[in-house]
């Protein structure tokens, strides 16, 4: 895998134009790019080449973030941890920006990427980082950590934590294997 700051060489599948992705995906990507301050996101224009899969994925992803039970700050904290652990330059580029909008400071983002757990984060956020680390390393959570999470998160939130980590790990794999390049700012 590439390092977080070194994107892979060339896309294996070029982001599609409106003919390859369809009018709705192309318009969606254009609007998303304007909102994010980037060119139309390559993740949408690449995955959008498989339109049926794209819409199902987008609906699922939207239920996790921004439509999940965790706060935006908490979701971005988890996503940035997954992106840094998986070496996903695309996810890091996107979610550094989104994390800042959700209230994470530059120093907090650097700590997340460096693997820090203690210090700048609340007890609840430390648990999220520990859970992300354990899920990524082991594909599971110990009973002790599961119990600790139960002291801060309800059952639906704990399900969401597991799904959020798994989803962004899967997305990091897809983005890496497809060699999707980070979006340029507008």
């Amino acid at each position: 895998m590439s390092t977080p700051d070194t994107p892979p060489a060339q896309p294996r599948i070029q982001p599609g134009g409106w003919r390859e992705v369809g009018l709705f995906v192309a318009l969606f990507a254009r609007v998303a790019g304007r909102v994010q301050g980037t060119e139309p996101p390559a993740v949408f224009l690449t995955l959008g080449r498989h339109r049926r899969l794209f819409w199902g994925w987008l609906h699922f992803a939207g239920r996790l973030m921004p439509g999940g039970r965790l706060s935006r700050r908490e979701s971005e904290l988890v996503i940035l941890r997954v992106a840094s652990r998986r070496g996903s330059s695309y996810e890091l580029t996107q979610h550094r920006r989104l994390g800042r909008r959700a209230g994470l400071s530059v120093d907090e983002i650097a700590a997340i990427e460096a693997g820090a757990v203690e210090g700048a984060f609340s007890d609840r956020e430390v648990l999220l980082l520990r859970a992300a680390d354990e899920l990524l390393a082991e594909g599971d959570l110990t009973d002790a950590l599961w119990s600790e999470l139960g002291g801060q998160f309800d059952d639906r939130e704990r399900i969401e934590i597991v799904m959020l980590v798994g989803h962004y790990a899967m997305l990091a794999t897809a983005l890496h294997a497809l060699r999707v390049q980070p979006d340029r700012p507008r």
Side-chain angles (χ1 to χ4, degrees):
M1 217 177 232
S2 65
T3 62
D5 293 322
T6 307
Q10 290 294 323
R12 286 186 167 154
I13 297 176
Q14 291 293 327
W18 71 271
R19 289 179 191 209
E20 293 84 17
V21 301
L23 184 60
F24 293 118
V25 173
L27 288 173
F28 174 79
R30 177 167 280 176
V31 169
R34 287 187 186 272
V35 168
Q36 294 178 16
T38 65
E39 63 189 352
V43 63
F44 299 145
L45 296 177
T46 302
L47 298 181
R49 293 178 78 109
H50 189 317
R51 294 178 208 177
R52 187 169 174 207
L53 184 61
F54 172 80
W55 289 112
W57 165 75
L58 188 65
H59 178 75
F60 173 73
R63 292 290 182 178
L64 290 170
M65 194 289 294
R69 297 179 55 83
L70 298 175
S71 72
R72 283 301 302 276
R73 177 184 165 89
E74 291 171 337
S75 294
E76 290 301 332
L77 182 128
V78 170
I79 294 164
L80 284 163
R81 183 61 136 231
V82 172
S84 65
R85 291 281 197 233
R86 288 292 190 250
S88 178
S89 59
Y90 189 93
E91 286 180 340
L92 281 170
T93 301
Q94 289 290 95
H95 287 279
R96 283 175 183 141
R97 238 185 335 267
L98 294 172
R100 293 283 293 136
R101 286 187 190 167
L104 291 168
S105 71
V106 171
D107 290 340
E108 287 172 322
I109 291 170
I112 293 164
E113 291 181 36
V117 176
E118 307 293 334
F121 304 105
S122 70
D123 291 344
R124 184 174 160 101
E125 291 169 338
V126 167
L127 278 174
L128 284 171
L129 292 169
R130 288 179 50 214
D133 289 345
E134 197 166 292
L135 284 164
L136 291 168
E138 305 298 328
D140 197 4
L141 294 169
T142 62
D143 290 341
L145 183 52
W146 182 255
S147 181
E148 282 185 71
L149 286 165
Q152 294 278 339
F153 300 92
D154 67 28
D155 287 347
R156 288 180 288 183
E157 289 169 324
R158 289 190 291 176
I159 292 168
E160 187 172 311
I161 292 163
V162 172
M163 297 296 285
L164 185 65
V165 171
H167 172 258
Y168 277 90
M170 181 260 334
L171 185 57
T173 299
L175 293 169
H176 178 74
L178 296 172
R179 308 292 194 256
V180 178
Q181 302 297 298
D183 305 320
R184 292 184 306 254
R186 290 192 309 134

